[in-house]
Amino acid sequence: MKDYPDRMTPQQARLFQSDVLNIVSQIPHGKVTTYGTIATLTGWPSHSRMVGRTLRYSPEAETLPCHRVVNIAGRTAPGWSRQRTLLEEEGVTFKPNGRVDMERHLWHFSAYHYDSST
């Protein structure tokens, strides 16, 4: 695993997990965002892979719309074939190359006010 120069303390890791889950809970129906955007919103922009791990291994994530998180190119999570189906059920469209049409479905944070102190 990559050795991050900005390693988290256990307290920071707990806050990061809480922040990730909070952000994901707010992604609107029919929209997507990226692992990197979530990492940046938490204040840890180099930790996009940790966002994915948080979503995969946090029991709380099972009740969240984790299917609305894709990579920067619009690719769905490898090994999770149901993700595309869940997105399509919400009206998310895909390009012929199998990636989410990010121009149409990317969640823009203009009205989003994130406060990590909550």
Side-chain angles (χ1 to χ4, degrees):
M1 184 155 112
K2 181 178 176 183
D3 186 25
Y4 294 103
D6 51 352
R7 297 199 124 183
M8 294 181 182
T9 65
Q11 180 180 3
Q12 289 171 320
R14 284 189 297 275
L15 181 59
F16 178 86
Q17 177 183 4
S18 175
D19 290 348
V20 167
L21 298 175
N22 182 23
I23 293 165
V24 171
S25 73
Q26 297 180 54
I27 304 168
H29 182 90
K31 295 292 183 181
V32 298
T33 194
T34 68
Y35 299 99
T37 298
I38 294 170
T40 299
L41 287 171
T42 67
W44 295 88
S46 66
H47 286 62
S48 57
R49 287 186 181 194
M50 194 166 170
V51 170
R53 286 188 205 105
T54 298
L55 297 177
R56 181 172 183 158
Y57 296 112
S58 297
E60 305 95 315
E62 291 183 22
T63 62
L64 299 176
C66 297
H67 62 282
R68 297 178 187 154
V69 183
V70 296
N71 79 3
I72 191 84
R75 287 191 304 260
T76 57
W80 187 17
S81 57
R82 181 131 169 77
Q83 183 179 14
R84 180 176 175 139
T85 303
L86 291 169
L87 290 170
E88 288 175 331
E89 287 172 357
E90 293 186 4
V92 174
T93 56
F94 287 76
K95 294 182 174 184
N97 64 6
R99 297 177 185 179
V100 171
D101 185 342
M102 298 296 277
E103 289 179 22
R104 291 184 64 197
H105 301 288
L106 183 63
W107 180 31
H108 296 285
F109 297 91
S110 59
Y112 179 73
H113 301 286
Y114 180 67
D115 180 6
S116 66
S117 65
T118 58

